[in-house]
Amino acid sequence: MDVSALAWWCGLVLGAIPLLLQALWYLNDAFFLASLRLRPTANNGMQGRTKLPPGHMGLPFLGETLTFLWYFKILRRPDGFIEAKKQRYGEGVRMYRTHLFGSPTILTCSPASNKFVLNSAEDFRIHWPEPELVGFSSLVNVEGKQHARLKSFVVKAINQPQALRQIAHTVQPRVISALRSWAEKGTINAVLETKKVTFENICKLFVSMDPSPVTDAIDQWFEGLVKGLRAYPINFPGSAVHHALKCRRKLTAVFREELEKRKGRKNGIHENSDLMDGLMQIKDEEGKQLTDDEVVDNIVTLVVGGYQSTALASMWALYHISKSPEVLHKLREENRIISKEKKGVFITLDHISQMKYTAKVVEETIRLANIAPTLFRVANRDVEYGGYRIPKDWQVVVWIRSLHTDPMNFDNPLSFNPDRWNQPAKPGTFQVFGWGHRICAGNMLARIQLTIILHHLALGYKWELLDPDAKMTYLPHQRPVDGAAMAFSAL
Ligand code: HEM
């Protein structure tokens, strides 16, 4: 080939590559915009209107999942993903289009747009790729009247004063003995230890089980189940979902057996003994009770909802307080005063309601922990918000984390400052427990458990992080990579 032909070919290739890359860059956007225009009958009177929120659909098939992983795993800046969008496309109504985890997606991240999605049960539904994993008759899997009915049962059983009074009493022996054992060890991995004590308490509260090889197996099955819920939704032998389904069936079997045992009990169901008894006997206004499937599915759901969340919140309380001596000082002061009023070693719900500073520490811990950073919905139909279209069947990711780390909502948002709760948060900016009809069914239970552990910690112990600058990991949950290793001792 002569020199001029070579130069011609080089020019062509070098010119074509950027063009090809650019085409690839816009291909996903073009594909989804075109498919929306071609939809035969877009409903809600939106025929032909394709004004999607600003954003970018990423690469074909992958979408922006790699960019998401880049911010969360490599840069360790989870807020960077949304910040970059705000900078690039403007704040507007804080809704962006993207393509995440295999689905075309609308992200929402303002108090108003989040509330719009979370409040509308008719327009947005929960979608579980593998509904058996969460349980067909679990309250997280059903909608409408069925959901409202189950939710009222569950809230009555775990989140209202009468139940919480009993729960506050039941959880304290294990908290007290766990703290004692941590002090004996001298050094602990707070992630593991808070998980252990939370799980023991859950087994006691929900099914009156004390630690045994059976509860160890149950713990393993829950671990497998939760991994499957977070995994890529493909089910084949060896996959996380496949394993999770096996775990789910074992959990169903073990709780079903327990339920049958209780039904056969001579002296019937014990009043107020544990959550399973509670769910078995609660009646709605028409005098109807839950079916056996509903009891079992919702016990499993409540363990999944309440286990890791409460454990992580307890670990974060230990973490932040160890870095804030003045917070610990104020906590000790308040809890010593309360302690003088109590009879014996346990505090009651009445004491807890007087613990104003401790309550601020709890709110601040939960705000910064961002245990559920994003919530997922699917649009039931084409919906319009702020002049933009949320297309039917698209995934909607409600990015609640960004509200809690936004300086517009919270001054110096990444600092741990319980005193910020001297004033309530700006309306709609605190969505840690979700919003609307699906708001967390165990929000008071979580707060009470955290208050109880703080009370006993503040009265009797001191602790110090071994590596206060340990790196963070953000997936599947935000936590220090060293498990918040700490020196722990009695005062
Ligand atoms: C700090 C601890 C906790 C946090 C941050 C938290 C957060 C949340 C959030 C954000 C939601 C809304 C999910 C959505 O809209 O898709 C939710 C729902 C739920 N949570 Fe929690 N949660 C916590 C503790 C608990 C506890 C202790 C329990 C029970 C033992 C629990 C049980 C549930 C249940 C059953 C739902 C589903 C409610 C429904 O679909 O109506 N959570 N939680």
Side-chain angles (χ1 to χ4, degrees):
M1 194 184 292
D2 66 19
V3 177
S4 63
L6 185 67
W8 191 88
W9 278 108
C10 285
L12 186 71
V13 169
L14 289 178
I17 286 174
L19 274 177
L20 274 174
L21 287 179
Q22 214 172 13
L24 199 65
W25 187 247
Y26 289 110
L27 192 65
N28 230 17
D29 272 280
F31 171 78
F32 282 102
L33 284 174
S35 57
L36 284 179
R37 277 190 195 280
L38 291 174
R39 270 193 190 173
T41 47
N43 52 11
N44 279 9
M46 290 194 194
Q47 285 92 334
R49 288 175 56 183
T50 53
K51 191 180 170 193
L52 290 172
H56 183 236
M57 305 295 289
L59 297 172
F61 306 110
L62 293 171
E64 290 197 305
T65 305
L66 293 181
T67 318
F68 168 89
L69 293 174
W70 174 254
Y71 277 105
F72 274 72
K73 276 195 175 269
I74 311 292
L75 296 183
R76 297 177 200 266
R77 279 180 40 220
D79 298 312
F81 185 67
I82 288 288
E83 288 311 318
K85 295 201 177 301
K86 286 185 194 165
Q87 272 170 23
R88 180 147 189 202
Y89 305 111
E91 302 252 339
V93 289
R94 296 208 187 168
M95 240 168 55
Y96 305 99
R97 72 168 181 274
T98 180
H99 192 284
L100 279 179
F101 322 119
S103 302
T105 299
I106 302 294
L107 293 180
T108 74
C109 57
S110 78
S113 58
N114 290 6
K115 277 172 21 185
F116 174 77
V117 174
L118 298 176
N119 268 333
S120 173
E122 277 161 26
D123 290 339
F124 302 98
R125 68 179 183 278
I126 286 253
H127 169 72
W128 299 97
E130 202 62 68
E132 189 189 346
L133 277 185
V134 288
F136 292 111
S137 46
S138 153
L139 89 151
V140 297
N141 205 22
V142 295
E143 302 278 353
K145 274 192 186 152
Q146 211 186 345
H147 170 258
R149 173 175 168 271
L150 281 175
K151 182 104 177 219
S152 77
F153 274 98
V154 166
V155 167
K156 233 187 265 174
I158 61 165
N159 216 37
Q160 286 188 348
Q162 202 190 345
L164 290 170
R165 200 168 286 283
Q166 176 70 28
I167 290 170
H169 187 80
T170 310
V171 298
Q172 287 186 68
R174 267 155 298 279
V175 170
I176 292 170
S177 81
L179 298 188
R180 218 174 275 147
S181 79
W182 299 359
E184 279 161 16
K185 286 182 187 164
T187 306
I188 59 161
N189 173 316
V191 167
L192 294 182
E193 295 296 342
T194 50
K195 259 185 87 182
K196 191 163 168 248
V197 62
T198 308
F199 187 68
E200 284 177 10
N201 263 331
I202 279 189
C203 287
K204 192 71 190 171
L205 281 176
F206 289 11
V207 278
S208 298
M209 284 185 184
D210 288 312
S212 71
V214 178
T215 57
D216 288 347
I218 293 178
D219 194 7
Q220 292 302 312
W221 297 332
F222 271 110
E223 183 109 23
L225 173 58
V226 170
K227 274 193 188 139
L229 284 170
R230 293 200 197 104
Y232 206 82
I234 35 176
N235 177 9
F236 60 85
S239 69
V241 170
H242 193 78
H243 177 66
L245 280 166
K246 280 191 191 161
C247 292
R248 168 79 217 194
R249 285 167 200 148
K250 287 180 186 153
L251 287 168
T252 302
V254 91
F255 290 128
R256 169 68 73 152
E257 193 184 318
E258 179 64 29
L259 183 133
E260 293 301 336
K261 234 192 291 174
R262 289 170 188 228
K263 286 205 296 194
R265 227 165 22 197
K266 269 205 196 115
N267 48 355
I269 293 160
H270 298 169
E271 205 178 315
N272 283 341
S273 58
D274 61 25
L275 178 68
M276 185 175 261
D277 278 350
L279 289 179
M280 285 170 78
Q281 61 188 320
I282 288 179
K283 291 185 179 140
D284 60 19
E285 293 91 52
E286 293 160 23
K288 285 197 190 131
Q289 290 181 293
L290 292 179
T291 64
D292 292 354
D293 283 345
E294 284 173 330
V295 172
V296 171
D297 279 354
N298 286 290
I299 291 272
V300 176
T301 291
L302 288 168
V303 181
V304 172
Y307 176 16
Q308 285 202 348
S309 56
T310 310
L312 279 167
S314 310
M315 180 277 292
W316 280 116
L318 282 157
Y319 178 93
H320 289 302
I321 295 168
S322 78
K323 291 185 160 199
S324 322
E326 69 294 354
V327 172
L328 180 57
H329 178 71
K330 287 191 199 172
L331 259 184
R332 289 209 208 280
E333 269 184 353
E334 179 172 85
N335 282 275
R336 279 179 185 146
I337 294 171
I338 290 290
S339 187
K340 287 187 190 136
E341 289 176 19
K342 65 187 188 189
K343 299 185 183 88
V345 285
F346 293 176
I347 45 167
T348 63
L349 203 59
D350 298 327
H351 296 127
I352 291 174
S353 62
Q354 295 169 43
M355 292 158 64
K356 306 290 178 216
Y357 186 72
T358 313
K360 291 177 205 166
V361 176
V362 167
E363 294 308 275
E364 185 64 348
T365 300
I366 297 175
R367 178 187 72 84
L368 266 183
N370 277 306
I371 288 161
T374 48
L375 306 177
F376 293 81
R377 298 289 188 271
V378 173
N380 284 333
R381 49 186 163 167
D382 280 359
V383 179
E384 187 172 343
Y385 180 79
Y388 294 114
R389 175 177 175 186
I390 304 176
K392 181 174 186 280
D393 293 332
W394 277 36
Q395 170 174 255
V396 181
V397 177
V398 183
W399 209 281
I400 54 176
R401 180 190 162 99
S402 75
L403 303 183
H404 312 131
T405 56
D406 185 340
M408 300 277 282
N409 302 335
F410 297 93
D411 268 352
N412 201 358
L414 297 182
S415 74
F416 181 71
N417 175 17
D419 287 327
R420 73 170 80 245
W421 295 97
N422 293 341
Q423 280 89 42
K426 291 180 191 163
T429 57
F430 189 57
Q431 299 184 356
V432 284
F433 290 112
W435 200 269
H437 64 292
R438 285 207 180 265
I439 196 160
C440 177
N443 57 29
M444 288 314 296
L445 173 58
R447 287 178 165 116
I448 299 282
Q449 284 182 282
L450 211 50
T451 310
I452 286 171
I453 196 164
L454 284 176
H455 174 72
H456 294 287
L457 278 167
L459 286 185
Y461 299 93
K462 55 185 179 175
W463 60 98
E464 202 178 337
L465 288 167
L466 298 186
D467 180 3
D469 301 318
K471 279 190 177 161
M472 292 291 153
T473 169
Y474 293 93
L475 291 176
H477 285 295
Q478 176 177 321
R479 61 187 161 82
V481 285
D482 68 348
M486 54 181 70
F488 192 92
S489 56
L491 280 176

